[in-house]
Amino acid sequence: MMPAFPGSRAPLIRAPVALVAVLAAVLVTLPACGSTSTGGSRPADRGLTGVVRRPPLEVGAVRLPDVSSEGAGSLMAMRARPGGLLVVYFGFTHCPDVCPTTLSDLGRALDRLEPSQRRRVRVAFVTVDPERDSARVMHAYLRHFVQGGHALRTEDPAQLTAAREAFRVTATRITYPGQDPAAYGFEHSAATYVVDAAGRVILEWPFGTRPSDMEADLRALLQRVG
Amino acid sequence: MPCTSRISTRRHLAALAPVLAALVLVAGACGSDSGSGEASGGGEGPIRVTDVWARTSPMEATNGAVYARIRNTSDRPDALVGASVPSSVSARVELHETVMTDAGDGDTTDEGMGGDTHGSGGTDDTMGDGMGGDTHGSGGMRMRPVDRIPVPAGGVRLLKPGDYHIMLIDLAGELKVGDTFPVTLRFERAGTLKVTAEVRR
């Protein structure tokens, strides 16, 4: 279970008066969070923008080939290093709108972290389209948005399906009438997942989460796992 | 506003040609109404297009998207019905809409997708079976081509990520941050408008 998250910003507050004011603001804000989602999840802990699922998804057993230069084809497990975080996104490089938006926003969020924090966050981009996303394309595409990311690609459908199911990711291939069948797309879930060292998804960002919110969540979570 | 004219007066084109020519010259001198030098265009007609931008993409990317803010200053609804870019940018362009289906839907039908286009669906080959109902707040995102993007009378239509956009298909090369390229927009009423898109992160 997620520990409560009190006082994460306390070191910034010197005067007791300020502390009381912050606590009051938090109390007022909490009920406003409401419930925006279906069963099995609830609003994030105080201070987090993303969604916390309870119980958390266990994804640590998932291993996928890392085709980026960082991995050279070795299997990468879906768990962070101790004291760090792993951010995982499923997408495809032919995606013109949703995927580049998310990767770009994630890259901007990561760029705002101090180098000591940035080093504790690994990023994995999993293609749901290994047919068109070669290792070379994957690597170049990811690097364009996120420095030092891991491009994960498997040609084994069962391995990809197992990975998707662990994260509850959907990806349905779509072709468009009257168009080249090779120009297919996907209907796909578009959340971004933050995984801890135990292989648990501790936070999910829906599509459209702002870079500043991702940044704040990463800072808070790094403090929690550090 | 000395630069206001209605493109819909084009039906009297023959008689008005000299006048229009003069107006175009004047309009050109007006320049951008954004005042910031950012990518924009179309300051003279009822349709004002600003904040035109494309997401940066690497050489290896195949597709891209252009976004913009479209304001309709007239009291009649209009619609974006076409767009084009030079072949040095992309081979083709289509108007698209990204829509969110029910969370965790994962099915292969077009239910609830609205019916004003020809484009969505087709031969679906599901990879997402058995995953229903469990993606809370991050349901499936699906892109579909549209024939027209409505721009309400006196209102604004935003082309933005996860929403309406102009899809660039078969990109010719890298889209580098800071680069610009021309985009021609075709509106149902207001006619053709040339704007400049800026590549952003």
Side-chain angles (χ1 to χ4, degrees):
Chain A
M1 274 298 113
M2 213 56 70
F5 197 50
S8 66
R9 299 196 168 118
L12 299 175
I13 298 160
R14 308 214 166 151
V17 172
L19 186 56
V20 168
V22 169
L23 284 173
V26 166
L27 287 175
V28 168
T29 308
L30 272 179
C33 292
S35 177
T36 58
S37 51
T38 54
S41 65
R42 50 177 258 185
D45 290 358
R46 166 168 64 86
L48 296 178
T49 301
V51 178
V52 176
R53 186 195 295 256
R54 298 182 192 278
L57 298 174
E58 303 277 352
V59 297
V62 174
R63 287 175 167 73
L64 290 170
D66 180 358
V67 298
S68 55
S69 57
E70 283 77 4
S74 63
L75 288 178
M76 180 177 176
M78 294 295 96
R79 53 179 75 213
R81 294 200 187 96
L85 299 169
L86 170 66
V87 179
V88 183
Y89 182 71
F90 289 75
F92 60 111
T93 72
H94 279 61
C95 168
D97 180 34
V98 169
C99 309
T101 296
T102 302
L103 289 175
S104 179
D105 287 350
L106 176 60
R108 288 158 71 187
L110 292 168
D111 284 355
R112 297 180 191 189
L113 298 178
E114 289 73 39
S116 61
Q117 293 178 310
R118 174 63 185 87
R119 278 194 291 273
R120 293 164 61 196
V121 183
R122 292 203 293 170
V123 174
F125 174 49
V126 185
T127 181
V128 299
D129 187 19
E131 199 174 309
R132 293 183 301 192
D133 287 343
S134 67
R136 185 186 65 84
V137 167
M138 281 286 291
H139 183 53
Y141 188 83
L142 176 58
R143 190 179 47 193
H144 190 77
F145 297 105
V146 177
Q147 290 299 314
H150 298 263
L152 306 187
R153 173 183 184 271
T154 177
E155 293 181 353
D156 176 359
Q159 194 177 31
L160 178 56
T161 299
R164 283 197 304 99
E165 290 183 351
F167 282 90
R168 305 288 191 270
V169 165
T170 60
T172 304
R173 189 158 151 168
I174 300 168
T175 54
Y176 298 96
Q179 293 203 1
D180 182 355
Y184 60 85
F186 286 89
E187 174 177 325
H188 56 107
S189 53
T192 305
Y193 304 87
V194 183
V195 182
D196 69 7
R200 290 178 308 212
V201 176
I202 54 174
L203 197 69
E204 301 176 28
W205 289 314
F207 173 77
T209 302
R210 292 179 305 181
S212 57
D213 289 332
M214 291 182 181
E215 174 201 358
D217 283 359
L218 287 173
R219 287 183 189 279
L221 292 173
L222 282 171
Q223 188 162 350
R224 187 189 299 182
V225 301
Chain B
M1 290 291 289
C3 295
T4 299
S5 68
R6 279 175 176 272
I7 300 179
S8 55
T9 55
R10 281 191 311 166
R11 57 194 137 136
H12 306 299
L13 193 62
L16 289 175
V19 177
L20 281 174
L23 277 175
V24 166
L25 284 174
V26 172
C30 288
S32 159
D33 65 355
S34 71
S36 65
E38 67 182 21
S40 63
E44 72 275 16
I47 295 287
R48 310 290 168 83
V49 181
T50 55
D51 212 23
V52 188
W53 67 283
R55 175 85 61 194
T56 176
S57 61
M59 181 69 82
E60 290 77 6
T62 307
N63 302 324
V66 175
Y67 307 104
R69 177 185 174 85
I70 303 171
R71 193 154 73 90
N72 181 1
T73 64
S74 82
D75 56 4
R76 302 170 79 181
D78 205 336
L80 179 65
V81 292
S84 62
V85 298
S87 59
S88 58
V89 175
S90 76
R92 288 192 299 128
V93 160
E94 287 180 2
L95 305 182
H96 275 248
E97 179 185 18
T98 297
V99 291
M100 189 177 287
T101 58
D102 289 343
D105 195 349
D107 71 13
T108 58
T109 70
D110 288 322
E111 284 176 26
M113 303 293 293
D116 64 333
T117 66
H118 54 75
S120 58
T123 54
D124 290 354
D125 162 24
T126 182
M127 292 169 56
D129 48 336
M131 304 293 299
D134 205 15
T135 55
H136 67 256
S138 54
M141 308 287 287
R142 165 191 282 243
M143 211 177 63
R144 59 174 183 174
V146 294
D147 293 329
R148 57 199 299 281
I149 297 177
V151 186
V156 171
R157 169 65 65 196
L158 279 180
L159 311 188
K160 67 180 199 296
D163 203 323
Y164 284 112
H165 58 273
I166 298 164
M167 180 174 172
L168 306 175
I169 300 170
D170 282 338
L171 287 169
E174 180 178 2
L175 293 179
K176 285 184 189 156
V177 173
D179 282 359
T180 60
F181 59 87
V183 181
T184 303
L185 303 174
R186 196 156 47 82
F187 290 90
E188 215 162 56
R189 262 181 215 289
T192 295
L193 209 57
K194 285 189 193 307
V195 297
T196 301
E198 178 189 322
V199 178
R200 299 181 189 168
R201 185 176 180 186

